[in-house]
Amino acid sequence: MSAVKSALKAAKGALDAHGYESAIENANNALKEDPKNYHANVFLGLAFEKQNRPEDSEKSYRAATLLKGNDPLAWQGLISLYEQQGARKLDEYHDAASQLAAIFVAIDDKTRCQTVVDKYTDFARKCGSRAQYRHSLEILLPGSELYNYLEGRILHPSYTYTKIAELLEQDEKEKINYEIGQRRTRLGAKIDQVTADVKNEVLQASDLETIYQSIVDWTEDDATRRLYEEKLLQHAYDTLIVLPSTLKNKKRDEVLRLAQGLVILKHPFALAWRLTLEWKDVDRIEELDVGLLREYIKFFREDGLAKVLQGYLDSEISPFPPDTAEDDDKHDDAREKKTVPMSAEDRLILMTDGIEDSAPSIMALWIMGEYYLYLEEYESAVETVQKAKRELAVISRASGLPLTNMFDAVSILLGTAMVHYQAPRHHPEARSLFEGILARRESNSAALIGIGLILEERGELEEAIGFLERALQQTPSLKVKAEAAWCKALNGDYKNGMAELEECLSQLGNGDSGTKTLKAQVLYRIGICLWNLDTSKLSRKDRNKAYARFISSLQADMNYAPTYTSLGIYYTDYAKDRARARKCFQKAFELSSSEVVAAERLAQSFAKSSEWDLVEVVAQRVVESGRLRPPPGSKKKGISWPFAALGVVQLNRQDYPKSVVSFQSALRISPKDYYSWVGLGESYHNSGRFIAATRAFEQAQRLEAELGPEVLGDTWFSKYMLANVERELGQFGAAIAGYKEVLALRAREYGVSIASLQTLIEAAWHDIELGFFGRAINSVQEALKTAEDILVWRKDAFNLWKSIGDICSVYTYIQAYIGEFPLPTLRGLLEHDVDLEAYALLTEFDQLDWAAFDSATASDSSHAVLAQCCYAAILAQKRAISCCVNDAHARAVAWYNLGWTEHRGHVCLSADKKRGGPLRYLKSAVQCFKKAIELESGNSEFWNSLGIVTSQLNPQVAQHAFVRSLFINDKNARTWTNLGVFYLVENDSQLASDAFTRAQSIDPEHSQAWLGQGLLAAQVGEPSEARNLFAHAFEIASASATQIRRSYACSVLQHLLSSPDTSSSTTNLLQPVLALQQLSKQSVAELPYEHINALLQERMGNHAVASEKLFAICSTLEAEYETSESVETLARFASAKADLSRSLLAEGKFDSAVENAETALDLSADDDALGMRQRTRLSAHISAGLSHHHLGSFDRSTEAFKGALEESQEDPDIICLLSQVLWAKGGGNAREVASQQLFNCVERHPGHVPTILLLGSISVLQDDQDTVDAVADDLRALRTRDDLPSQQKKQLTQLLSAIAILYPGRTGQATARTAEATTAVMLGPSSPYGWSQLSGITIESHPAKMAVLTAVREAPPRGALTAEDLSEVYAGTHRGEDAQRSIMFAPWKSSGWQALSQLS
């Protein structure tokens, strides 16, 4: 023991001397001697603590406490150690402090005990978390040993509980926010559900409610108690809302207990009062405690629900007795004051403000819905009660209460409002509500009445009477009784119905406003019964019967709308006082939009006076009333006239999309409404939807046949509109037939007659565009007859004279039919009942008046008739101007039409040098377009036209006009094209190209833009590009585009002349020939294009047609030369003669060919006028030479070819022809000369294939092997060229094959032929000639098949293979079907027939 003591003493000294290592050593020595030594462990713990070894120190202190748990020294050491470590050991600090305080309690040392507790709680507050601080405070709460010992020396429990509550509130708030933030980012998370789940988890586990209750129990301050009672209720309510439905019952009882406690104490906590009022499941408002309601108003005067309750309790519908005096007024010395009555307007404003200010409140919405229903504000009632129903569902889910009674009450309220709001739109929904209530409560009178009213509206009167009588058994009511009586009257039992209504009337007195309204209703219905009991005119006019009841009804209630409607009918149909009737209808409609009869009468009245704005207002209000469409299953018919009226108004305003919708809505209600179908068709027509318009009018016509004229009356308009639609669709035949059908019913209907006339003219223009010129003439001839008929009874119609002018203009576009121009008829029309001064317009420019026209009718030549057409068209357009003096727009259009007619005269008669020269019509056109622009300067077409006619006269003005037109409308492709042509004429290629490109981008189908691009390409020297552009323009253009036909034909001929190797097959030339044929119909005096047509016909092989045209051209040119003696005409005549000679040669008319050729040579002997002399003379020499050759005059033929050689400067082709003639002449000298000519030609033109071929053929015939070998070498070299025409390739192959047969060499004939054929195939595998040659040598079928395959690929349009060559290829296969094909392709060839005969 001495050793232990000495060690402890040494350790104590070391500690005092701060020798902590020594202290540790001595303490350990002591423990070795006595392991259970308390002080050694304490000293060791202290030494470790000083050396900052907390784990060893704590271990030592713990060992000491185990040895002596009641000794404070070790516990104090532990506390000191824990304080040094801060919050890390705060939980252990709690245990140590509790043990140390218990030790001091045991020794009854209150001071030291309180010090330990205060020190610990203060340390936990500073260093610990909120949970640790809250845990430290728990040792001071009632129920703990320390509280009982230290009571009076520590804080009052209420303050401790308050502090703990504050800490818990902060913890819960942070935890809820943190968890929501974490979970809301999960996939599929919904914020509402996440919030509810988190709150449920946190609030269920919360101890706050216990703490709040403890504060309430322990606090001595009433304000604090009330505050925490509020918090307790709020927390319990929040917990109840998020609890699952299975756990709500117990919590709900707790919430209600807390709320009722606060209400009993009259504490103004709104939640408690709301829960007490709104969670009470009542059927009616009157079941609530009125005292409670008034106290709520007192405590929460600015609350929205309080305002609603205040207005309700002060209203006529309040079931509670009025409050005789208000509570004490604190601001007026507590004097009692009587309640000041509130006006109805102020009450409504107060209640409305309350609804807007309040949080969602089922009580406020319910009361407001009832009040709106009382005021007959059904729309507001429906909206408010629907909100109430939604809020009630929220309350039911939150509280777990079924609230069945309240649901039924709100549903009855909603159903009742829906019965009246926009009836019968909401009747199905209202009926389902009532039926749901009756399923639970069979005798609910409100539901019975609601269904009865719905059945009454549906026309199911027997059933309605049954429901209403059942309601009467439950709740006797005069209103229900009157409604049942009215149902009987509506069911046809006017007598009994009126008797019951009289009984109801006797029971009604002069009561409140509601009673007055009922009285007015009963009187009105009695009047209706009297009105229908005796329907005679005398009875209805009797002012002592129905009329008297109507007046009495208004005396009872001046705002009862149906009475005004009935009075309006009385004044209209019987009293004949339309002014009063209109006032009555207006009053009825102002009071109620449900008065559809009054609205219809009003709309009809406004429509008759063309007050379309008022018609729209009336119809729109009826549409918005919701009474148009009957509910499903109703016996009542829908009302369609408001939609039809809206459609008519929108038609008049040209708002066609809306009118379509309106008429469609009308037809959905009344599918057999004939006039709505007509209106729908007209709307479709005016909006450009012609197919839909056709269907609408066809349906209207089916209704005509179904309903008959006795129902519909006059129905011609639908036929007229259908004809208009067909006209717009381009079905002119059907349209004209439709107009004729209408005119058969209404012979002098001006609009129909003019439409028929214009359609005939449009059909003519359409036929011109398609190239059906004869049909166009037939149309204008029929149009002329129609114009004659109209003129008899309507001479001053602008459209009539405009159409007559168009009739004349049509003949100028189809000049081939100019001889059929009905001049006498037109003359009679023009001089029919007219002041001739009307034709004197612009005579200072065009010098054309009636006298000029009269003098022009003396001649009957084609040019004179053309002039007469133009003159008649101009005069007709002038007369059209005189017919529209009072219409500015029509005058502008008339001047515009006259301008184009004058321009047409300029185009057709520009060669006319009389009466002012060739520009007189053009100058007149300028004046016309200027006048049109003066009248309507915003029309882009007028400016465009001015630009066209001034392009020749004044380029600056023309450019300005085009630019102005594009400023108004820059999407017009025609204007851009015209501007491009203007720039082209002014030699500005870049601007022209830009304008044409813009036109093409706006309208790719505008052919004139492509023509302009072609002309531009030709101008800049790109003939190939120009030809392609002309071809495209021709493909997309109409037949009336004459300039496109001219340019296209010229480009094709130019291409043929510049490229001799170009194929002249029918396929390539068919389109230009057809273009020129149409051109000849449209403009008969264009000889150059007739000449081109003849040349193309010649190339196609139509020599007879070509000769006929050339004969006509020669005759015309000869007559023209005799008149003008022009050198130019003479040169053209000589050229035509040369071409005619060539064509006659092709026909085999050699004598005539010689004659015409010699004439051409004689006429072209002088100076060259047009640069055509050499070509003309060359053609004539060749034609003469060939003709003499065929006639057997070889000497004269030779002389002719010599002349051709001189003209052509020894052209190799001419040499070939001369050589052939010399060879055919025979004789050694001639044939020797022919051979020598060919040898010389080969030397000068070594690559000329025809010369080599001819030389080779002559060498073979002369059996000149040396020459044959030389020629064969040249031919083999030539056939490797890619630029050889297919025909020359064929001739070359045939000649080489013949040489191989005649001069086989050492290899033998068969081998040589095969070698030549295979070589030809190798050099031209895609050519049929080599394969065809090879198939003739071998017995294999493959070469013949390849020959057919390659020949088909070379056939037009992909190649230029002729029908004869294709026929020969098929004949070479030795197959029956191919032999038939050979005959089909060229029946005049013998090869196909021979192949077929060999197979048969």
Side-chain angles (χ1 to χ4, degrees), residues 175-176 179-180 183 194-202:
K175 185 174 182 180
I176 289 172
E179 289 295 331
I180 291 174
R183 299 185 189 184
V194 168
T195 302
D197 292 344
V198 171
K199 285 186 175 181
N200 181 34
E201 294 173 8
V202 174

Side-chain angles (χ1 to χ4, degrees), residues 300-312:
F300 309 101
R301 289 191 179 276
E302 299 304 318
D303 182 70
L305 176 57
K307 293 179 181 179
V308 173
L309 288 171
Q310 182 179 353
Y312 176 72

Side-chain angles (χ1 to χ4, degrees), residues 1141-1142 1145 1150 1153-1154 1157-1158 1161 1174 1177-1225 1230 1233-1234 1237-1238 1244 1254:
S1141 173
R1142 188 174 61 252
L1145 171 64
F1150 306 119
V1154 169
E1158 290 176 350
L1161 290 171
Q1174 183 182 1
R1177 292 183 64 80
L1178 178 59
S1179 175
H1181 279 301
I1182 294 173
S1183 298
L1186 291 173
S1187 298
H1188 285 305
H1189 172 71
H1190 285 289
L1191 291 172
S1193 302
F1194 295 107
D1195 293 335
R1196 299 184 66 180
S1197 175
T1198 303
E1199 291 299 322
F1201 281 119
K1202 288 180 179 180
L1205 278 175
E1206 293 176 3
E1207 294 289 346
S1208 65
Q1209 298 178 355
E1210 297 189 355
D1211 184 272
D1213 290 324
I1214 304 301
I1215 292 174
C1216 288
L1217 288 173
L1218 177 59
S1219 298
Q1220 287 174 315
V1221 171
L1222 290 173
W1223 180 265
K1225 181 179 179 181
V1233 171
Q1237 288 285 342
L1238 291 174
R1244 291 193 298 271
L1254 184 57

Side-chain angles (χ1 to χ4, degrees), residues 208-257:
L208 262 179
E209 293 182 27
T210 303
I211 301 299
Y212 288 153
Q213 186 63 52
S214 298
I215 295 172
V216 170
D217 294 340
W218 282 95
T219 186
E220 297 175 354
D221 181 42
D222 288 341
T224 302
R225 181 179 292 107
R226 298 294 172 262
L227 172 64
Y228 281 93
E229 283 178 344
E230 291 178 5
K231 288 190 175 185
L232 176 60
L233 175 58
Q234 186 69 53
H235 193 278
Y237 175 73
D238 293 341
T239 305
L240 174 64
I241 289 174
V242 297
L243 279 176
S245 57
T246 55
L247 305 177
K248 284 184 182 289
N249 292 339
K250 182 179 179 181
K251 196 68 178 179
R252 182 181 63 248
D253 295 340
E254 180 185 347
V255 169
L256 286 172
R257 177 182 58 77

Side-chain angles (χ1 to χ4, degrees), residues 94-167:
H94 175 82
D95 296 336
S98 299
Q99 290 294 334
L100 183 59
I103 292 171
F104 290 139
V105 170
I107 63 177
D108 195 21
D109 190 344
K110 292 185 178 180
T111 300
R112 295 175 69 186
C113 180
Q114 181 181 355
T115 301
V116 170
V117 171
D118 291 345
K119 186 178 180 182
Y120 165 59
T121 56
D122 187 58
F123 182 80
R125 178 181 61 81
K126 292 179 180 178
C127 300
S129 64
R130 281 195 293 268
Q132 290 172 330
Y133 181 42
R134 185 178 71 247
H135 189 43
S136 70
L137 293 175
E138 289 175 354
I139 65 176
L140 303 178
L141 294 177
S144 68
E145 183 182 355
L146 290 177
Y147 173 78
N148 295 329
Y149 182 69
L150 297 176
E151 184 176 8
R153 301 176 67 93
I154 57 176
L155 292 174
H156 190 273
S158 62
Y159 294 106
T160 306
Y161 279 120
T162 301
K163 193 63 180 177
I164 292 173
E166 292 173 355
L167 295 173

Side-chain angles (χ1 to χ4, degrees), residues 306-320:
K307 293 179 181 179
V308 173
L309 288 171
Q310 182 179 353
Y312 176 72
L313 294 176
D314 190 51
S315 68
E316 304 89 337
I317 63 171
S318 173
F320 304 110

Side-chain angles (χ1 to χ4, degrees), residues 273-274 277-278 296-297 300 302-310 354-355 357-359 361-365 367:
W273 290 82
R274 287 277 186 92
L277 290 174
E278 296 185 347
Y296 185 88
I297 296 170
F300 309 101
E302 299 304 318
D303 182 70
L305 176 57
K307 293 179 181 179
V308 173
L309 288 171
Q310 182 179 353
I355 284 291
D357 295 342
S358 71
S361 168
I362 176 60
M363 190 62 59
L365 293 169
I367 291 172

